[in-house]
């Protein structure tokens, strides 16, 4: 009996020991590291693309640019023979489209600017020519059809039909989708800076005249006509920049009539405007062409840039004749073209090139009255296939073209601007 109990105890004790040893073994195994610690300290941890603190690479956008084109012409005049030329007696209507048929392909740009040197006040105020002009509003239709979209209205003939003429002219231009610059119907309107954006380039257009042929601006209404005034012009340029203008074009009606070179007064005024921040300056009034100039300038704000000025673009359309004006070329004008480029992503804007395209007012008889048309001189000479031109006309036009081309380039300086 005792032996049996001893054997039973020993058997159970053996089983108990086995269980305890098994538990101890399991406990020790669970405490072993999964990766050897010494070996782990010598290995570089692999980067985690999700939690890595490094900044992602910056991908710069590819540079590109947009291009735009400013086109401008000089004086758009309407002497009485021109008005009669556009009159249709059968329908009692006016149409001047034929004036611009040949030249219209050269007026296709973004900003196309002309200086309107006549009121368009309607028949009630009587149509007249020099010295106090008034032309049919239908002229605006023909200008729009030819390609113009901006019309400067401040010049020495702005008040030829007094205040009423200014107001009617503004209305007739705006009703046809043309933008007038330089005269205003109210003080509030005069304070507005004309800003026109094309190809993502914001351009301000300002316009001023030296005077109004002695016709007084109505008392208390100086806003009607924008006069050349240094303080006012500087303030307008600063305001345009504050409004976000990337380019500023200033149209100036100034200089001496029938003088083919700019006066010292013109040059000083242009220099002041460039230093104040103007980029492009368009001159009119002398009725003959004066040279253009490309300059490097550092503005009053310390900005270094290029500027372009043409001192006079001559007559675009008129009845003036060089033989009646002391042999001055008053029947020759110029289309002035400036190429503009805006760069991305830095948003800089620069002037790329300048072109000066001489034009000629061809007058001829048809249907018992004088007819008018503006011709591009170089293209006309290149084709020599115009049925309305005789060999003697081509000879005259060739002389005009050579004279105009040589004269226009007489003031050009090398300013690293691509020239035609």
């Amino acid at each position: 009996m005792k032996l049996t109990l001893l054997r039973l105890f020993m058997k159970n004790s053996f089983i108990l020991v086995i269980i305890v040893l098994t538990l101890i073994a399991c406990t020790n195994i669970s405490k072993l590291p999964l990766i050897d610690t010494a070996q782990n300290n010598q290995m570089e941890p692999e980067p985690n693309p999700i939690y890595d603190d490094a900044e992602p690479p910056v991908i710069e956008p590819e540079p590109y640019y947009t291009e735009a084109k400013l086109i401008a012409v000089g004086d758009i005049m309407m002497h009485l023979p021109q008005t009669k030329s556009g009159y249709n007696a059968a329908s009692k209507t006016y149409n001047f489209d034929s004036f611009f048929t040949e030249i219209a392909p050269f007026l296709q740009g973004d900003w196309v600017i002309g200086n309107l040197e006549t009121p368009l006040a309607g028949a009630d105020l009587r149509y007249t020519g020099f010295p106090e002009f008034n032309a049919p509003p239908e002229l605006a239709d023909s200008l729009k059809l030819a390609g113009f979209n901006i019309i400067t209205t401040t010049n020495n003939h702005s008040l030829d039909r007094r205040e009423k003429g200014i107001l009617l002219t503004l209305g007739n231009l705006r009703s046809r989708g043309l933008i007038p610059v330089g005269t205003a119907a109210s003080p509030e309107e005069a304070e507005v800076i004309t800003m026109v954006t094309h190809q993502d380039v914001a351009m301000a257009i300002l316009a001023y005249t030296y005077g109004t042929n002695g016709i007084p601006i109505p008392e208390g209404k100086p806003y009607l006509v924008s006069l050349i005034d240094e303080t006012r012009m500087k303030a307008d340029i600063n305001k345009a920049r504050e409004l976000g203008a990337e380019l500023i074009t200033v149209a100036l009606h100034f200089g001496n009539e029938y003088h083919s070179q700019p006066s010292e007064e013109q040059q000083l005024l242009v220099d002041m405007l460039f230093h104040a921040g103007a980029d492009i300056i368009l001159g009119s009034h002398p009725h003959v062409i004066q040279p253009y100039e490309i300059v490097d300038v550092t503005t009053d704000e310390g900005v270094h840039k290029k500027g372009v000025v043409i001192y006079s673009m001559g007559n675009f359309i008129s009845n003036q004749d060089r033989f009646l004006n002391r042999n001055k070329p008053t029947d020759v004008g110029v289309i002035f073209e400036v190429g503009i480029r805006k760069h991305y992503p830095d948003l800089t804007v620069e002037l790329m090139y300048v072109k000066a395209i001489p034009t000629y007012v061809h007058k001829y008889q048809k249907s018992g009255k004088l007819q008018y048309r503006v011709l591009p001189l170089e293209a006309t000479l290149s084709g020599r296939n115009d049925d309305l031109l005789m060999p003697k006309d081509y000879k005259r036009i060739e002389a005009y073209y050579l004279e105009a081309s040589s004269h226009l380039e007489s003031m050009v300086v090398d300013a690293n601007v691509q020239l035609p």
Side-chain angles (χ1 to χ4, degrees), residues 18 50 70 90-91 124 156 168 207-208 328 336 360:
I18 292 300
I50 299 177
L70 176 142
S91 61
D124 289 346
N156 56 312
L168 289 170
Y208 311 90
K328 298 294 183 179
F336 196 59
Y360 167 63

Side-chain angles (χ1 to χ4, degrees), residues 117 198 203 236 258 269 304 386 411:
E117 198 158 3
H198 290 291
M203 181 183 292
D236 287 346
Y258 314 116
L269 182 59
H304 184 72
D386 193 311
M411 285 189 67

Side-chain angles (χ1 to χ4, degrees), residues 51-272:
Y51 300 104
D52 196 350
D53 290 335
E55 292 289 334
V58 177
I59 301 175
E60 295 290 343
E62 289 291 328
Y64 66 100
Y65 59 82
T66 58
E67 292 187 334
K69 185 190 301 182
L70 176 142
I71 293 174
V73 307
D75 297 331
I76 299 168
M77 306 180 73
M78 285 292 286
H79 294 87
L80 201 53
Q82 293 167 259
T83 299
K84 293 178 179 179
S85 175
Y87 183 66
N88 185 317
S91 61
K92 297 183 179 180
T93 59
Y94 290 91
N95 187 297
F96 305 100
D97 294 352
S98 61
F99 285 16
F100 312 114
T101 303
E102 282 79 15
I103 205 65
F106 297 85
L107 299 174
Q108 306 309 305
D110 296 288
W111 304 270
V112 184
I113 305 171
N115 176 54
L116 181 63
E117 198 158 3
T118 176
L120 302 181
D124 289 346
L125 296 185
R126 197 166 57 90
Y127 295 142
T128 54
F130 184 82
E132 294 187 1
F133 291 94
N134 182 34
E138 286 82 358
L139 176 62
D141 296 311
S142 299
L143 293 173
K144 178 75 178 292
L145 181 65
F148 290 96
N149 50 31
I150 299 169
I151 302 295
T152 57
T153 52
T154 181
N155 48 67
N156 56 312
H157 290 284
S158 296
L159 281 171
D160 280 5
R161 284 297 183 271
R162 310 318 191 255
E163 179 182 0
K164 187 174 182 179
I166 287 179
L167 300 180
L168 289 170
T169 300
L170 290 172
N172 284 322
L173 291 171
R174 288 172 175 152
S175 67
R176 290 160 170 84
L178 295 167
I179 301 173
V181 184
T183 55
S186 68
E188 295 76 19
E189 191 174 287
E191 291 299 317
V192 174
I193 300 294
T194 300
M195 296 272 286
V196 183
T197 299
H198 290 291
Q199 307 300 330
D200 201 32
V201 177
M203 181 183 292
I205 299 103
L206 310 173
Y208 311 90
T209 180
Y210 74 92
T212 56
N213 281 350
I215 302 172
I217 297 175
E219 187 175 352
K221 297 183 177 181
Y223 56 82
L224 287 171
V225 182
S226 181
L227 297 177
I228 291 174
D229 175 84
E230 183 173 329
T231 301
R232 167 68 187 275
M233 292 189 293
K234 285 183 176 181
D236 287 346
I237 290 173
N238 290 334
K239 186 176 181 179
R241 289 294 184 198
E242 291 171 358
L243 291 172
E246 295 169 291
L247 285 176
I248 296 176
T249 294
V250 181
L252 293 177
H253 204 73
F254 70 157
N256 298 317
E257 289 184 316
Y258 314 116
H259 284 223
S260 57
Q261 292 293 337
S263 66
E264 182 180 1
E265 184 180 8
Q266 282 175 276
Q267 292 174 304
L268 290 173
L269 182 59
V270 164
D271 185 64
M272 181 277 292

Side-chain angles (χ1 to χ4, degrees), residues 40-54:
N40 188 48
N41 288 339
Q42 296 174 3
M43 294 175 60
E44 290 292 333
E46 295 186 10
N48 188 328
I50 299 177
Y51 300 104
D52 196 350
D53 290 335

